[in-house]
């Protein structure tokens, strides 16, 4: 995997293309290679087209989600050095605000019943405001304390959302609520897919021209309509990934991005050169939080129910794994990392489980003891069954090991350390007027 | 991020003192309110007493774990996110041994070995209480300490030693990986089910013997550590190392051996804490330590990293806060209060509430 | 049983089983799951191909939605599930209804399910807690003369609504409810929450929750608060292992739960014991019935298509037609396939769906914990 | 404070300009009055007052712990003084933030050079210029506004190259700053500070730990810059540097100014000799 | 055969080689100075002798025994004391505790050594319970030196002890070093205050880019025009 990507990036960089084209090729290459791998595995084991396509759709969905969050986190940690491990909390603020703004006023808990777009924008604003409140004090502490403060904050947010005290309350005559442990039910963001697929976004009604074409070709291939619908929403997410990428890359290659890097490297030195680092940090923290909020909205908001336990700290660590796999400090890396995480660590194992379950008919024995005892008499199936049954746990172990090995062997991520030069112009060009000489040492 | 200097700047202003004053004022108001509630009878003395006792019990096991976390934090210079799972390791390994010993002849091997992962061998049937199986319970505690120490040393050898020269953030991330791997390795064996493994506590004369065991064990362990660090060179060399590792090396302090000792003490206490928590609560679960971790961090930070007495004092504050706060706030907000307290202290007294108190 | 890799189409009926095998409800969910796949086992040697695939909800909405998505994407048009009302509502709104997949829950008792906007895709074979709350209040106030109560309930659709329903009924009868305190699932300690629930020393406390949390709740209760008052539990804690796991005889606990009292209950019990060597537990009969009618409706519809199954569900379950049930499921399938009209008479009840997809007649039991597990002490019939 | 204002108001208004040579050199540019700074029980600076003449190289010396670095930190906003005032180029800057002071034209270097190690030397340099358009988040991101940013970047880049050439480290432009040797870092630090177009530079022990040969080169640069009109205030323990290169010397002792004058005066001052230059500890 | 015998030493950090074939000898009781430009590898030589760098080849003998693969705690025991360039006191420990740390490898605190050090640096006794981090720069240098002397080493290595010190303290520092040397302890000194150091020492090495450039008596180096020009600032 590592070697593959490395060779890929070497090969690509030989072509002498501009950086963005190289990056695009790199991302595309990785994605296509992974798709091919899964398709081959699927075909070899006789998996139906429907399931393969369904899996690829799921992988892509999660890849997009994790890429979005990893990109936002990269702005905080990779560029500015703000070690924020409260990402889940900011995602929760975004998703919940959207939920509270858009939920039906007669629901339980009630919401304001505002249009979806208001909810999305409101969610981003709320996330960035919480970011602002958090930033003011939190930015004053050391990096490892900052980590603990942000983690504590995300837990405070989650517990507050869980608490029955906020389950339903009233502001200025409007009833609102978080719904406590049951969460909040609100229109899901994936209705945008319906607008593309059905006339008047009515799922029981007629499909649009696009919808008709898609559904008919899906029918031919034996693919469920639900996959098509999710697929269309996934494409919308990808559009957001592109937007995030463009935005963040522009920031990275600008004097503003240069200040961010300087803050990461030595804040006092940056201040002494006249840079208002506090303002910059607050700005970029708020921006990152807004993006995290949006990622939370696009992800959790695509379900009809938003519940507090979707925002456990583990979510933040998933995002960190994605970012570290790709290499922090690199936007391309964030996307590749998000994809690699979704494909190989998050969804991939589930695909394997589906295949194994289909091939061998074993019930998981209740304990590992019951799995080992038959092994002594030469029957490995129960153990296999147990392993498949414990796949979720094994997957966590695997994620943990990946983190450890990455920190020991490749702390800079799979793409290696990509020190992108923060400037809006080509720095290697030297002014002609001076005595010049070679630009390279 | 290097905000050390910004902090320095902050420490010049009086913001610290101001917030300190506000905090003190708040505490005073709450104390007055407490008196009012007591006088008006809205809060019975008995209830207040039970809050305080629960707070002390909580703070004792948080404290045991916090000492270890504080030591590794100051000597190895990273926030160890796998500390919680060392606690869990202690809980599972210790109770497995207790079950193995106590359940001989009563329960089948698989239930004992995997701590009832199959639902069999209920604790009452096995007689898992301090009066029915005192030997098993004590052996379990010893095993919890030993196994946790061995696990921690193995992890240090395999992971942290390779990262000695890296910065704290790299180690922190690696420790998150360790936490996940360790916890779910346990889960593969023991399953993710929460289950009771301790019989109902015998309570002659209304004294809960399990709670008493916890209190006695925890206090003696803390005392033991205090004596160890006070009267051996170990304590001083630990302080020297947490102060300046390179210089410690040059001075001839065998740093690897100090690190070894740190893990032995830190992990041993964590293991004991895990075991004792289960003795008190009765149930064991894979998330036992992980869910406690943030509270333990809060205690360590309140007390000031590196100070053992600070860790204990911080644990007291946290333990009392999460229990006594119930007088004013609903029980599902009590941890919010504890975390908020932690954040406030971090921001305005980054060196902890009890910094300046000498460590052993 | 099923082949999870297939694209669907080649089976006569495809039913997804979405139940909590792990998590808070794991102790109850595993037998429910077992019962839900039993019709498939029963029909294994028949001429029909029945494709049943299981997914675990882990007792949580998130995992439930993932499981449901997997089933829907794999083409399963009908689902037996979920158990927890919270999970069922989430799964239905998020996945089943939008994708026009039928869901029959064997255990989700929350009242709001009745009026959920579900395009008639969501059914259940268990009763609504609107009734259970009344039963509880009656038992407590009228039968036992308990006048003050505290409610300690799981913070989800089931707990909130059942607690509300109890409180309303209890207060209507003249009782007072001092404290209602909600709790979160699987917390390490409930001491402080119990402290606030029991603050006013009520005559009784109702505890609405699931077994894993319940174990810790009762451990904490017996170690710090036991003063002999009556504790009343509900279907969620009808777990025979509870006293042993808590290590207390739990003599002061009384419970209510929907009872399986269908015409063919005995036939089901026999089937279950034969297959699993264990007595069926709470909601297992309902689970069997749910899968059975799902299969019958699929075959009646003639295609593995959600709306078609929905439309034939009442045909196979409600009166008029040959009476069939667990004892002759294979025959029933054959009859339906031949186009005959049948009336499924279930293990849990006679399984007649009303307009909302709810049961029309149900029975409750009052139970206590005894040496052999759960003992039914009284049966109460309701007819809506 | 009005007297201070009139005293120090420069003829040309003190506006930061790209043309340092045009500055007047006839009045004091920096004036410290009764500065005090305490850390807990320790009094680091205890009523220090002095002024620095425009266009000079002024030395600040004193025993260890005399409060020199603390004074620097108070002037540049790293610390907020407990009492007293700092007036720079006619503006009261007491208690302002470091970046505000730097933008006002008073820039410092550090005793141990603080480079941005994972940025190239050229990136390090390009960070320095004041008020870059692209430092605004919106301008960097917005499609049309960004064009101006790109144009300005080219100008900034060319100026950075020039400065690197002046300090003869242009061959290192694409090297990561973290890979430079100690001396090269000091050069980079100084070059970067100059690119902010300051009026005055505060150098904290610029020659400490610097090899004598490199020291000579650095001093040559300082003199060249002085001729261009820059003002320097430097803390230094190396008496050769102080005696041979500073027009004016200020001696601090226990937080306040013990003596002031030309190098010759200082050398002859008995109190100074007693406290600093010789005698016994 | 000298007390310290470094021959053909290669060493560096990680994979990065800094020293290439460095030779260096210090005889018993001798006073040797190393000078050279910044980054020449002077500190690296000292760290290498103490086993704190990546060893890449060559030999380091002390008192006839090879120590290139020994651990720092063992090297200390053979009789080498080392005062590193900066960060050389335990800031949060008291002065007395710092000194005790110097004798860490002994089972008991050598009271007479402590006495001797207090006699040599009276300020340390005066401030014995003050936190080392709050002492002035010059005082900290003395404390560091005192700590290194706790084991009565045969060789004392000092890395730029005069850096950042006020002129009067610089003179004082050099005098102290002379005194220690007069008592029979060999000195290996790295200094940027090169002229002063060369004036006082028996022998000097000039190190450039990780290699030996010149070796000669201190006075001879001071007199050498080339050396003056290139390394002593004329
Ligand atoms: N942040 C601080 N906290 C406490 N005391 C401080 C702090 N900074 C400086 N001091 C104390 O203030 C006094 C003056 O220190 P300062 O660093 O200004 O001296 P200096 O003149 O620069 O000395 P040197 O020449 O040794 O650098 C010293 O006693 C020092 O210990
Ligand atoms: N820990 C380290 N890791 C990597 N490289 C290092 C490390 N320490 C020093 N170096 C490099 O080794 C080379 C020699 O450094 P050393 O500290 O020995 O120089 P020096 O001669 O003592 O210089 P100075 O007079 O500035 O103290 C330098 O290029 C330096 O950048
Ligand atoms: C399995 C059952 C205990 C579920 C419960 N009746 C609920 O609706 O949530
Ligand atoms: Mg200073
Ligand atoms: Mg050096």
């Amino acid at each position: 995997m590592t070697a593959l990507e490395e060779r890929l990036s070497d090969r690509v960089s030989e072509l002498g293309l501009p950086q963005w084209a190289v990056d695009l090729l790199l991302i595309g290459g990785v994605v296509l290679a992974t798709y091919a791998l899964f398709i081959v595995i699927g075909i070899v084991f006789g998996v139906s087209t429907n399931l393969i396509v369904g899996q690829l759709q799921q992988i892509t969905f999660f890849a997009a989600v994790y890429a979005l969050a990893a990109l936002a986190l990269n702005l905080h940690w990779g560029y500015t050095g703000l070690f924020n491990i409260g990402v889940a909390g900011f995602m929760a603020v975004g998703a919940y605000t959207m939920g509270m703004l858009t939920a039906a006023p007669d629901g339980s808990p009630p919401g304001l019943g505002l249009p979806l777009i208001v909810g999305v924008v409101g969610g981003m604003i709320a996330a960035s405001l919480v970011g602002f409140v958090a930033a003011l004090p939190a930015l004053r502490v050391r990096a490892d304390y900052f980590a603990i403060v942000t983690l504590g904050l995300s837990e405070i947010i989650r517990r507050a959302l869980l608490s029955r005290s906020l389950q339903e309350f009233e502001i200025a005559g409007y009833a609102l609520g978080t719904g406590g442990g049951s969460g909040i039910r609100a229109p899901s963001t994936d209705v945008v897919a319906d607008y593309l697929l059905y006339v008047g976004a009515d799922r029981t009604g007629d499909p649009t021209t696009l919808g008709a074409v898609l559904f008919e070709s899906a029918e031919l291939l034996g693919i469920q309509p639900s996959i098509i619908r999710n697929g269309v929403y996934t494409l919308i997410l990808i559009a957001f990934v592109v937007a995030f990428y463009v935005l963040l890359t522009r920031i990275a290659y600008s004097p503003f991005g240069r200040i961010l890097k300087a803050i990461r490297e030595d804040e006092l030195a940056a201040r002494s050169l006249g840079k208002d680092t506090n303002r910059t940090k607050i700005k970029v923290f708020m921006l990152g939080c807004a993006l995290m909020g949006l990622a939370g909205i696009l992800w959790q908001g695509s379900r009809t129910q938003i519940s507090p336990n979707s925002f456990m700290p583990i979510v933040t660590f998933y995002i960190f794994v994605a970012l570290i796999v790709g290499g922090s400090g690199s936007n391309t890396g964030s996307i590749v990392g998000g994809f690699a995480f979704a494909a190989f660590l998050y969804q991939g194992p589930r695909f394997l489980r589906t295949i194994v379950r289909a091939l061998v008919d074993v019930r998981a024995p209740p304990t590992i003891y019951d799995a080992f005892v038959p092994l002594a008499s030469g029957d490995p199936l129960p153990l296999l069954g147990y392993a498949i049954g414990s796949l979720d746990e094994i997957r966590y172990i695997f994620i943990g090991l990946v983190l450890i090995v990455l920190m020991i062997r490749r702390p800079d991520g799979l793409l290696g350390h990509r020190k992108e030069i923060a400037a809006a112009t080509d720095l290697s060009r030297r002014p002609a007027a001076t005595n010049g000489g070679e630009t390279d040492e | 991020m290097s905000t050390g200097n910004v902090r320095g700047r902050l420490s010049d202003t009086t913001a610290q003192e101001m917030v300190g004053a506000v905090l003190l004022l708040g505490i005073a108001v709450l104390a007055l309110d407490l008196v009012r509630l007591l006088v008006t009878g809205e809060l019975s003395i008995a209830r207040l007493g039970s809050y305080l006792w629960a707070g002390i019990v909580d703070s004792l096991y948080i404290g045991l774990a916090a000492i270890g976390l504080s030591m590794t934090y100051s000597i190895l210079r990273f926030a160890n996110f796998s500390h919680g799972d060392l606690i869990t390791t202690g809980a599972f390994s210790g109770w497995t041994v207790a079950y193995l010993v106590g359940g001989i002849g009563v329960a089948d091997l698989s239930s004992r070995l995997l701590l009832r992962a199959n639902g069999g061998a209920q604790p009452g049937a096995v007689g898992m209480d301090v009066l029915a199986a005192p030997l098993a319970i004590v052996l379990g505690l010893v095993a919890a300490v030993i196994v946790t120490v061995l696990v921690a040393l193995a992890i240090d050898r395999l992971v942290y030693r390779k990262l000695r020269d890296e910065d704290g953030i790299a180690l922190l991330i690696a420790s998150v990986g360790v936490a996940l791997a360790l916890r779910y390795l346990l889960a593969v064996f023991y399953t993710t089910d929460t289950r009771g493994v301790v019989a109902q506590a015998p309570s002659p004369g209304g004294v809960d013997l399990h709670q008493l065991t916890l209190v006695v064990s925890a206090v003696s362990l803390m005392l033991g550590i205090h004596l160890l660090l006070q009267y051996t060179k170990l304590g001083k060399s630990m302080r020297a190392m947490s102060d300046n590792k390179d210089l410690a090396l040059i001075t001839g302090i065998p740093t690897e051996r100090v690190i070894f000792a740190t893990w032995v003490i830190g992990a041993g206490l964590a293991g004991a804490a895990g075991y004792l928590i289960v003795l008190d609560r009765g149930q064991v679960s894979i998330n036992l330590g992980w869910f406690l971790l943030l509270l333990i961090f809060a205690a360590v930070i309140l007390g000031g990293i590196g100070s053992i007495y600070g860790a204990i004092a911080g644990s007291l504050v946290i333990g009392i806060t999460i229990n006594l706060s119930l007088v004013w706030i609903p029980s599902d907000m009590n941890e919010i209060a504890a975390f908020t307290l932690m954040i406030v202290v971090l921001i305005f007294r980054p060196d902890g509430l009890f910094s300046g108190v000498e460590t052993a | 049983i099923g082949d999870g890799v297939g694209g669907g189409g080649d089976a006569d009926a495809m039913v997804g089983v979405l139940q909590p095998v792990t998590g808070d409800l794991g102790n109850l969910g595993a037998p429910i799951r077992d019962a839900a796949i039993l019709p498939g086992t029963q029909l294994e040697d028949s001429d029909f191909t029945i494709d049943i695939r299981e997914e675990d909800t882990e007792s949580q909405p998130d995992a439930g939605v993932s499981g449901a998505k997997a089933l829907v994407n794999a083409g399963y048009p009908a689902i037996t599930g979920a158990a927890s009302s919270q999970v069922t509502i989430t799964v239905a709104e998020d996945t089943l209804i939008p994708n026009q997949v039928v869901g029959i829950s064997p255990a989700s008792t929350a009242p709001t399910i009745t009026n959920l906007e579900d395009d008639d895709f969501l059914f259940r074979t268990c009763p609504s807690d609107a009734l259970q709350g009344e039963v509880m209040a009656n038992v407590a106030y009228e039968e036992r003369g308990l006048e003050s109560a505290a409610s300690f309930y799981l913070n989800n659709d089931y707990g909130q609504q059942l607690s509300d329903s109890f409180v309303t009924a209890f207060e209507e009868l003249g009782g007072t409810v001092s404290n209602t305190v909600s709790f979160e699932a699987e917390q390490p300690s409930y001491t402080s929450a119990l402290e606030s629930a029991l603050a006013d020393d009520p005559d009784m406390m109702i505890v609405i929750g699931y077994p894993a949390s319940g174990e810790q709740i009762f451990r904490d209760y017996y170690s710090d608060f036991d003063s002999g008052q009556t504790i009343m539990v509900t279907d969620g804690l009808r777990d025979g292992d509870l006293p042993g796991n808590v290590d207390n005889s739990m003599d002061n606990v009384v419970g209510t739960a929907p009872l399986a009292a269908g015409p063919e209950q005995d036939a089901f019990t026999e089937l279950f014991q034969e297959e699993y060597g264990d007595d069926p537990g709470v909601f297992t009969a309902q689970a069997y019935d749910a899968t059975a009618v799902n299969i019958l409706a699929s075959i009646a519809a003639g295609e593995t298509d959600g709306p078609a199954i929905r439309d034939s569900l009442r045909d196979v379950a409600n009166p008029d037609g040959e009476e069939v049930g667990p004892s002759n499921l294979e025959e029933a399938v054959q009859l339906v396939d031949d186009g005959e009209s049948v009336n499924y008479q279930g293990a849990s009840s006679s399984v007649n769906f009303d307009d909302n997809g709810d049961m029309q007649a149900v029975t409750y039991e009052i139970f206590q914990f005894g040496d052999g597990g759960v003992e039914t002490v009284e049966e109460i019939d309701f007819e809506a | 404070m009005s007297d201070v204002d009139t005293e120090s108001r420069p003829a040309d208004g003190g506006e930061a300009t790209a043309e340092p040579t045009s500055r007047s050199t006839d009045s004091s540019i920096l004036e410290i009055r009764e500065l005090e700074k305490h850390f807990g029980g320790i009094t680091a600076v205890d009523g220090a007052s002095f002024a620095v003449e425009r266009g000079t190289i002024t030395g600040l010396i004193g025993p260890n712990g005399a409060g020199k670095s603390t004074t620097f930190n108070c002037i540049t906003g790293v610390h907020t003084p407990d009492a007293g005032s700092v007036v720079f180029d006619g503006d009261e800057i007491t208690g302002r933030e470091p970046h505000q002071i730097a933008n006002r034209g008073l820039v410092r270097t550090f005793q141990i050079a603080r480079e941005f190690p994972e940025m190239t030397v050229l990136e390090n340099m390009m960070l320095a210029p004041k008020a870059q358009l692209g430092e605004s988040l919106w301008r960097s991101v917005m499609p049309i506004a960004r064009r101006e940013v790109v144009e300005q970047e080219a100008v900034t880049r060319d100026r950075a190259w020039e400065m690197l050439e002046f300090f003869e480290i242009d061959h290192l432009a694409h090297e990561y700053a973290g890979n430079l040797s100690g001396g090269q870092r000091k050069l980079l630090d100084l070059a970067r500070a100059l690119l902010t177009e300051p009026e005055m530079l505060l150098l904290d022990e610029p020659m400490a730990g610097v090899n004598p040969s490199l020291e000579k080169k650095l001093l040559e640069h300082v003199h060249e810059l002085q001729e261009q009109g820059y003002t320097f205030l430097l803390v230094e323990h190396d008496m050769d540097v102080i005696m041979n290169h500073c027009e004016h010397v200020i001696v601090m002792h226990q937080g306040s100014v013990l003596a002031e004058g030309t190098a010759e005066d200082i050398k002859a001052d008995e109190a100074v000799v007693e406290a600093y230059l010789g005698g016994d500890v | 055969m000298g007390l310290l015998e470094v021959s053909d030493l290669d060493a560096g950090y990680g994979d990065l080689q800094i020293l290439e074939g460095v030779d260096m000898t210090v005889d018993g009781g001798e006073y040797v100075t190393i000078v050279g430009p910044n980054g020449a590898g002077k500190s690296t030589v000292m760290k290498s002798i103490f086993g704190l760098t990546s060893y890449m080849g060559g030999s380091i003998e002390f008192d006839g025994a090879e120590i290139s693969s020994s651990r720092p705690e063992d090297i200390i025991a053979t009789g080498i004391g080392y005062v590193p360039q900066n960060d050389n006191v335990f800031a949060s420990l008291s002065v007395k505790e710092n000194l005790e740390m110097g004798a860490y490898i002994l089972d008991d605190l050598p009271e007479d050594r402590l006495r001797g050090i207090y006699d040599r640096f009276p300020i340390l006794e005066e401030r014995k319970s003050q936190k080392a981090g709050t002492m002035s720069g010059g005082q900290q240098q003395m404390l560091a030196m005192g700590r290194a002397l706790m084991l009565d080493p045969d060789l004392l290595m000092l890395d730029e002890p005069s850096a950042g010190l006020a002129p009067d303290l610089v003179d004082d520092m050099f005098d102290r070093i002379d005194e220690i040397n007069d008592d029979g302890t060999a000195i290996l000194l790295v200094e940027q205050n090169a002229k002063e150091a060369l004036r006082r020492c028996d022998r000097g090495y000039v190190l450039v880019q990780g290699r030996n450039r010149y070796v000669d008596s201190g006075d001879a180096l001071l007199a050498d025009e080339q050396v003056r020009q290139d390394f002593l600032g004329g």
Side-chain angles (χ1 to χ4, degrees), chain A residues 13 26 36 56 84 191 200 211 238 244 314:
Chain A
S13 56
L26 190 66
L56 295 184
N84 175 3
V191 295
I238 290 176
F244 272 37
I314 188 73

Side-chain angles (χ1 to χ4, degrees), chain D residues 42 62-65 111-112 181-183 205 208-214 216 237-240 273-281, chain E residues 36-39 86 134 136-138 142 160 163-169 171-172 176 192 194-195 228-234:
Chain D
I42 300 167
N64 294 107
Q111 180 166 355
I112 299 161
S181 85
E205 304 203 25
V210 171
N211 175 268
S213 307
L214 186 59
K216 230 173 102 184
H237 283 305
D238 187 335
M239 277 308 110
D240 289 343
V273 173
E274 168 84 25
Y276 185 56
L277 294 175
D280 288 317
V281 186
Chain E
N38 295 106
N86 24 37
T134 64
S136 87
M142 287 176 205
E160 300 201 25
L165 291 191
D168 54 342
L169 292 183
D171 289 342
D172 187 54
R176 303 295 185 137
Q192 284 301 356
K195 285 182 189 163
R228 287 188 77 90
Q229 201 54 50
D230 290 353
F231 306 107
L232 308 179

Side-chain angles (χ1 to χ4, degrees), chain C residues 151-359:
Chain C
S151 170
F152 194 61
Y153 63 94
L154 179 61
N155 191 4
N156 74 3
D157 288 289
Y158 167 59
Q160 283 164 16
Q161 295 181 29
L162 183 48
S163 171
D164 287 350
S165 144
F166 166 81
V167 169
T168 318
F170 192 71
E171 285 177 344
E172 246 163 46
L173 289 174
T176 54
V177 177
S178 49
N179 283 309
T180 60
V181 174
S182 69
F183 62 84
E184 291 309 318
E186 302 204 68
Q187 292 298 299
S189 160
Y190 289 99
T191 308
S192 46
L194 281 169
E195 183 99 44
S196 18
L198 292 168
D200 296 319
D201 201 17
D203 295 346
M204 69 168 298
M205 174 170 71
I206 61 165
V207 178
I208 306 170
Y210 299 147
S213 311
E215 192 182 326
Q216 185 67 50
I217 290 170
F218 279 103
R219 276 181 175 273
D220 291 343
Y221 174 79
Y222 285 116
S223 84
D224 289 334
F225 303 99
D226 186 13
S227 59
Q229 70 255 78
T230 305
I231 305 289
M232 192 170 232
V233 298
T234 59
D235 52 315
L237 290 170
R238 193 192 181 280
D239 173 11
D241 288 337
L242 199 55
N245 287 340
V246 173
D247 192 32
N248 191 292
S249 58
M250 298 179 67
D251 290 330
N252 62 334
V253 176
V254 60
T256 58
L259 184 69
E264 298 230 11
Q265 193 211 345
D266 296 340
F268 162 73
T269 307
E270 206 174 297
L271 269 173
F272 190 91
Q273 281 169 338
E274 197 175 299
E275 181 71 22
Y276 302 110
D278 224 343
D279 285 335
V282 70
F283 295 124
T284 48
Q286 284 85 345
Y288 178 94
D289 291 343
T291 305
V293 293
N294 256 334
I295 292 174
L296 292 175
S298 282
I299 290 180
E303 51 178 334
T304 50
D305 172 60
I309 295 173
R310 169 193 65 182
D311 295 337
S312 39
L313 259 176
R314 287 188 184 81
D315 294 343
V316 297
N318 292 8
D320 282 353
E322 184 101 9
E323 298 207 341
V324 295
S327 60
N328 60 348
L329 191 63
E330 203 175 327
E331 266 169 59
V333 172
Q334 192 62 55
L335 282 174
V336 172
D337 194 43
D338 295 343
E340 308 273 336
S341 158
V342 299
N343 173 15
Y344 179 81
Q345 295 291 305
S348 57
S349 68
S350 34
V351 191
N352 295 332
F353 294 110
D354 68 9
D355 287 349
N356 294 315
D358 279 0
M359 289 292 91

Side-chain angles (χ1 to χ4, degrees), chain D residues 112 119 227:
Chain D
I112 299 161
M119 293 165 74
E227 276 156 29

Side-chain angles (χ1 to χ4, degrees), chain A residues 82-85 137-153, chain B residues 1 3 7 70 73-74 77-79 81 168-169 172 294 297-307 342-353 355:
Chain A
L82 299 169
F83 195 70
N84 175 3
I85 52 173
L139 292 176
R140 295 174 171 254
V141 300
R142 298 192 333 222
D144 52 347
Y145 283 2
F146 182 79
I148 292 169
V149 167
T150 49
L151 178 62
L153 187 78
Chain B
M1 195 177 69
T3 44
R7 208 155 55 85
S70 178
Y73 205 151
S74 66
R77 308 209 152 274
F78 75 102
F81 272 73
I169 296 297
L172 189 159
L294 204 52
F297 267 119
V300 168
I301 285 166
L302 280 173
I305 287 165
S307 156
M342 168 184 85
I343 291 178
V344 169
V345 169
L346 254 185
I347 292 162
F348 294 100
R349 287 209 58 152
D351 297 327
L353 280 181
S355 59

